[in-house]
Structures are given as C-alpha cells and as structure tokens.
Amino acid sequence: MRVASSLRAVARAASSEARRVPTYGREGAFFVGETATSGRGAYAARDFAVGEAVVVHERPLVCAPSRANGRAIACETCVRESGGERFCSDACARAGRVEFERERGIEFDELEARCDARALKFPLVVARAATMIASGSLQYGSLEFLVSANGVEKAPPRQWVEEWETLRSALARARPALEWTPSLEWYAKTTSRLHLNSFRVEIPPAMVGAGADFKSTMTAGIDAIARGAASGTAVYFTASLFNHSCAPNAHVSWENGDAAITIRTLRPVRAGEEFNITYVDANERSASRRARLKEWYGFDCACERCASGED
Ligand SMILES: [Zn+2]
Ligand SMILES: [Zn+2]
C-alpha cells in the first residue's frame, strides 16, 4: 500500500513475463510487480471489463470493530452488524481467539478504555493479533509480509510504549500463563504495519439488517454506521498489494456484509496495467486528498491525476 506507480513501471512490469508468476486474486487475476516509486504493486494478469472482480471475499488476517459509546459497534469477530450484541452468530462467539481469551481469562477493559478516551483504533487490532498468535489461530510472522516503517521498533513513540505496557499487563493475567507474549519490538512493528496497510471496513447501511433475525434499527451500532463511522479496521494479505491513485481503476467493497473484502474494476483494465484503489475519498479536492494521504499514510501522492494538476 503506497504511492501510485508511473507508466514507465507499468510498461516494465508488463514486459516481464517472469513477473506474471505466481498470480493472486480471483482465478489468478493479478500478479505482483515492482513499481518505479512505490515498492510492489498489483498488475492485471489479463484484460478486464468494467465491474469484474479482481479479489473476491478475501478474509482479513486480523480485524476489529469500531467502537462508539464505550462498546464495539459490530461483531467482535467478523465486524458484521450484530444488533448491539458482541457477536453476530454462535460461530463468531466460539471463534478460536474468543474461546482462548475466555478460557485464559484475558480481558482488554483497560486497553479499551484507553482507546475510547483517545479515539484510538489500532491498539485493539494489535491486541487481537497478539491473542490470535498466542492461541495459534494466526501464525507468528504472517503479518511480516506487510510493509512497515524502517527502524520504528528502535525508538517507538511514547504512546506506543504505554499501549504495549497496557496490553502486556492484560496478557500477564492469563491463566495458565501464555507461551508467547508480544515484545515491544513486535508491538511497534505491528502497529506500524497497521498504520500503512489497514483498511477502514465500510459496510453500507443498506446491508445492515439484511439478516433474518435483525433485532432493532435503533442500536448504537447501526446509528454509528448511519452517521458514517467505519464498521471496523482490517488488514489483508493480497488486498494490501494494491497501491493508491486519486483516479483509481478499481474499488473495494464489503459485499458479504462482513470484513471479507472484494475488489472490482471501475473501468476496463488492460493486461499488464497496474490496479489502483483510492485510500481516501477521491471526490475530495486535491489539497485535502493530498493532506490526508500525507497524514494517514505518509506519502506525497504522485498519481497521474495529481501530476496533471487536475483538482
Ligand atoms: Zn460475526
Ligand atoms: Zn493523487
């Protein structure tokens, strides 16, 4: 997930048959190539028409629901609308991580309070990744594929150190004690990866309540979603390969109503062309888009739209 590439890089990647293997996405829809300025990127393995799926229902490596009024606004396992309940289904309430936390008596009340007070979203996603690793439902090292900031673990911000201490003290109460607990270095690296690679999961209100046992339209969760709050935060393996452009040729959606992500083309895309999605609202004007990209992802956008001076 970084800056959009130049046409030169697209041509170079397209000319290299070797880079077409291995392919990813739906039926080998894309391959990974090096861009000129943004590290790796996702390139079309064939021609695509408008609206074709490139990635279909990719499940997140880790996800967590957004919070409002001191509680999660969606299912704590899959981020699906849950009518104000902690989980949307029995399966989500019995997920490996959840069972593990219950058995070991792990609770994140202090970390949640800290996040609620400061409007933080990443510490709880990191906490989830930590218990998933400790329980064996996420392989240690499986997040290392994601881009992180260089050297961030050597001098982590004070705030991250405090978050890590809060997480550590929650995990230290586990009985029996955990076989693995996160180091500060792991915490800082993982937080950095989330900053650079996480998606705001935005399940449209129209999908909310589509389930058979929809309870009430007046729950805090639905209210928060209706006000435009994201349902949650998630990181993905292949979706993280898609670079940003302010004039994207593909877009992301959550068609299942949970954190599984789908990427579809917005216009015809030729074989060898890089797929781009937008990390911000592409309808915003140039100055505000660029400011957000700088603040949230730390780069100066060099996409064709920005380079052309178009607003
Ligand atoms: Zn769920
Ligand atoms: Zn741009």
Side-chain angles (χ1 to χ4, degrees):
M1 294 267 292
R2 275 202 229 152
V3 200
S5 73
S6 71
L7 285 172
R8 190 158 49 88
V10 174
R12 196 177 60 198
S15 69
S16 169
E17 288 298 320
R19 289 206 175 96
R20 289 171 182 271
V21 185
T23 50
Y24 298 90
R26 181 172 180 264
E27 294 168 358
F30 69 92
F31 62 96
V32 179
E34 286 298 313
T35 66
T37 55
S38 325
R40 64 202 176 192
Y43 294 85
R46 58 173 173 81
D47 291 346
F48 281 79
V50 181
E52 271 201 77
V54 182
V55 170
V56 179
H57 303 331
E58 179 182 1
R59 295 166 67 99
L61 293 165
V62 186
C63 67
S66 301
R67 295 175 61 82
N69 306 320
R71 60 190 299 185
I73 67 166
C75 175
E76 291 187 22
T77 298
C78 76
V79 183
R80 185 183 293 278
E81 199 287 316
S82 57
E85 303 291 331
R86 278 188 71 189
F87 302 103
C88 72
S89 64
D90 285 349
C92 282
R94 286 197 312 266
R97 173 195 64 86
V98 180
E99 284 282 297
F100 181 81
E101 289 177 10
R102 197 177 284 142
E103 285 167 9
R104 304 272 178 127
I106 299 169
E107 286 180 11
F108 293 119
D109 311 36
E110 203 185 333
L111 199 61
E112 286 170 357
R114 191 181 173 88
C115 290
D116 291 344
R118 296 162 201 228
L120 302 172
K121 61 180 180 177
F122 293 131
L124 291 169
V125 190
V126 182
R128 175 152 306 177
T131 55
M132 287 173 76
I133 290 171
S135 73
S137 57
L138 180 69
Q139 209 182 332
Y140 181 83
S142 58
L143 300 174
E144 286 173 18
F145 170 82
L146 304 168
V147 173
S148 74
N150 282 335
V152 69
E153 71 282 8
K154 295 194 183 77
R158 182 70 220 151
Q159 183 185 312
W160 292 8
V161 178
E162 290 168 8
E163 291 163 11
W164 170 71
E165 285 165 350
T166 309
L167 173 61
R168 288 270 294 192
S169 74
L171 296 178
R173 289 194 287 274
R175 290 293 175 274
L178 304 185
E179 296 74 21
W180 173 85
T181 52
S183 64
L184 177 57
E185 181 179 354
W186 179 88
Y187 188 91
K189 275 289 209 192
T190 304
T191 301
S192 162
R193 291 190 165 100
L194 289 176
H195 274 275
L196 294 173
N197 296 281
S198 69
F199 286 75
R200 275 167 62 95
V201 178
E202 293 180 357
I203 299 167
M207 311 223 24
V208 169
D213 63 346
F214 174 61
K215 290 184 179 109
S216 161
T217 53
M218 297 308 287
T219 62
I222 294 167
D223 199 39
I225 293 168
R227 287 198 310 270
S231 315
T233 302
V235 287
Y236 304 88
F237 178 68
T238 72
S240 71
L241 292 161
F242 289 70
N243 288 318
H244 167 84
S245 168
C246 300
N249 57 14
H251 77 115
V252 303
S253 60
W254 287 270
E255 298 175 358
N256 263 359
D258 65 12
I261 197 171
T262 294
I263 301 180
R264 290 182 185 279
T265 55
L266 285 168
R267 60 169 173 77
V269 176
R270 304 293 302 270
E273 197 179 337
E274 187 183 359
F275 285 119
N276 289 122
I277 57 177
T278 181
Y279 298 175
V280 295
D281 183 350
N283 295 315
E284 284 192 45
R285 306 194 73 154
S286 173
S288 96
R289 288 195 319 270
R290 294 170 63 83
R292 280 187 209 284
L293 289 167
K294 185 77 181 171
E295 183 191 341
W296 293 349
Y297 298 100
F299 66 80
D300 294 306
C301 191
C303 78
E304 285 175 56
R305 182 175 166 194
C306 288
S308 75
E310 184 195 332
D311 205 29

